[in-house]
Amino acid sequence: ESEAHWIHVDIMDGVFVPNISMGLPVVEAINRHATKPMDVHLMIVQPERYVEAFRAAGAANISVHVEACPHLHRNLQQIKALGCRAGVAINPHTPVQGLADVIGDIDLVCVMSVNPGFGGQKFIEHTYRKVQMLKQLIVNAGANTLIEIDGGVTLQNAKRLLDAGADVLVAGSFVFQAADPKAVIRDLAAV
């Protein structure tokens, strides 16, 4: 019922990140009731083993971590062959330059602005600079890649992130800890 465009779903395996979250049955349950596309963020090792199952569960976008994919180009082609937007997530310490050779194959780069694995963390300030560098990489390549920010997004940093080049803002704790989550989403959408 909110003004959110997508439902972002974090999948954690307790190996790639030190936390465990929902899996396929929960994604399938969300899909039965969702009226918006699911943006599935796989924070797992060997994501190539599971992308088909997450597509079957209802994912419209699937993002895999560059740090978990020794064969990233192959992973992107696999996701696209399923009819999904292919996303690549990058941890705070990962330089955007490592995406240069595949940026044209990426539909969405999910820039982690916190260390992945736990909600409610403080936003990492160097994210603004990282987004600017990524935007320049995308422009230079003539790509249509979206930039998504995941972690610590609030009304205090949303405009600056968009000004830096972000296209999509993921807000979890900021929304769900609010007294009126729909109003917070509406306010973020209006930035």
Side-chain angles (χ1 to χ4, degrees):
E1 297 174 3
S2 77
E3 292 182 32
H5 295 105
W6 298 341
I7 298 171
H8 185 83
V9 183
D10 284 334
I11 307 299
M12 302 178 224
D13 64 2
V15 178
F16 182 72
V17 294
N19 200 3
I20 297 173
S21 70
M22 61 199 86
L24 287 163
V26 174
V27 173
E28 290 168 345
I30 292 169
N31 189 50
R32 283 195 296 273
H33 302 283
T35 58
K36 299 171 186 192
M38 273 193 292
D39 179 39
V40 175
H41 177 189
L42 298 180
M43 292 180 261
I44 63 176
V45 296
Q46 298 181 320
E48 67 278 1
R49 295 177 57 198
Y50 302 98
V51 294
E52 288 181 29
F54 279 104
R55 173 59 175 148
N61 307 338
I62 298 177
S63 293
V64 296
H65 270 264
V66 64
E67 303 87 0
C69 296
H71 305 287
L72 184 59
H73 183 264
R74 182 182 304 153
N75 300 129
L76 293 167
Q77 299 312 309
Q78 177 192 25
I79 294 166
K80 285 178 177 266
L82 296 171
C84 293
R85 271 194 181 124
V88 175
I90 57 174
N91 285 337
H93 74 278
T94 302
V96 298
Q97 293 80 4
L99 301 177
D101 289 337
V102 290
I103 198 67
D105 296 306
I106 302 172
D107 297 310
L108 166 74
V109 175
C110 178
V111 177
M112 294 302 303
S113 45
V114 299
N115 287 297
F118 295 97
Q121 296 180 62
K122 186 178 179 212
F123 179 83
I124 297 172
E125 292 293 318
H126 84 264
T127 302
Y128 301 114
R129 190 170 136 273
K130 190 172 193 172
V131 171
Q132 291 169 335
M133 289 187 298
L134 178 57
K135 187 65 167 188
Q136 193 59 55
L137 178 71
I138 292 166
V139 168
N140 290 347
N144 295 314
T145 310
L146 297 174
I147 299 174
E148 178 179 65
I149 309 301
D150 187 359
V153 172
T154 67
L155 284 169
Q156 287 68 45
N157 60 20
K159 181 170 182 353
R160 189 168 170 200
L161 286 165
L162 294 170
D163 289 346
D167 304 292
V168 180
L169 303 177
V170 175
S173 298
F174 183 65
V175 169
F176 293 111
Q177 291 176 358
D180 187 348
K182 284 192 237 177
V184 170
I185 292 171
R186 184 175 54 248
D187 292 346
L188 281 168
V191 170

